[in-house]
Amino acid sequence: MRKMDTGLVQLSLPLSSLPTAGLPAGSLRRQEAVHEAFRAVLATSGLTPEYVASELSRLTGNSISVHHINNWTAESKIGERHIPLDYLPALTAILRDSRLIQAVMPTGWTALTPEDAAVFELGKVVVEERRRGRKKRELWERINGSGA
């Protein structure tokens, strides 16, 4: 009697069925957008690069120097120095600005500040209340219409 192989098999999906299939090559390159956003956010924050480096070091537990900050914002350093992704939450908290995270997001996606998230949640509640109101009206119409 021959023993059958019961190992798992990975099936290949055609590329056309993947959610990113319609995106052009390079369309999610975010390097320049992140670089520009960091420069803009730092400039409007009123904070010094020294303060940002010190606070980033404290919050992440890594040694971040003012030279790191300068490299991440220098026009000549685009393509050479990347802000590590795991620093984005700390930078967003320090700078109190979501533009840096927003710059990382693909087009059509968004990041919300805690205040904006509350407004968004309220909007969801209002939409649900309106749906329920429509449903209640439909049911009352069915009840009142069928009883006549």
Side-chain angles (χ1 to χ4, degrees):
M1 186 190 270
R2 203 168 127 200
K3 198 168 190 176
M4 299 289 283
D5 181 14
T6 59
L8 298 176
V9 176
Q10 181 174 352
L11 299 176
S12 297
L13 294 174
L15 288 178
S16 61
S17 68
L18 298 176
T20 56
L23 296 174
S27 65
L28 293 181
R29 179 184 168 100
R30 308 306 304 151
Q31 183 176 348
E32 291 83 4
V34 170
H35 183 82
E36 289 175 20
F38 188 43
R39 277 200 345 253
V41 168
L42 186 59
T44 59
S45 72
L47 302 175
T48 65
E50 291 81 10
Y51 174 80
V52 173
S54 171
E55 193 63 1
L56 187 57
S57 295
R58 185 181 75 78
L59 292 173
T60 64
N62 296 327
S63 179
I64 310 298
S65 71
V66 70
H67 299 293
H68 286 103
I69 304 299
N70 291 336
N71 282 339
W72 294 337
T73 58
E75 194 71 43
S76 62
K77 299 288 184 173
I78 291 179
E80 295 177 33
R81 301 287 298 186
H82 300 284
I83 302 169
L85 185 60
D86 55 330
Y87 292 172
L88 288 180
L91 284 169
T92 300
I94 294 164
L95 298 167
R96 303 292 302 155
D97 196 309
S98 64
R99 285 182 286 173
L100 192 53
I101 289 179
Q102 193 63 43
V104 174
M105 305 291 281
T107 302
W109 291 75
T110 192
L112 300 173
T113 63
E115 296 81 14
D116 289 342
V119 171
F120 175 77
E121 287 296 319
L122 179 60
K124 286 175 46 177
V125 169
V126 168
V127 166
E128 184 57 35
E129 286 173 348
R130 286 186 179 173
R131 282 188 189 131
R132 286 184 180 167
R134 276 193 297 265
K135 184 68 175 175
K136 284 168 66 174
R137 278 190 301 278
E138 290 171 10
L139 291 171
W140 277 116
E141 287 172 8
R142 281 179 43 198
I143 291 169
N144 291 332
S146 64

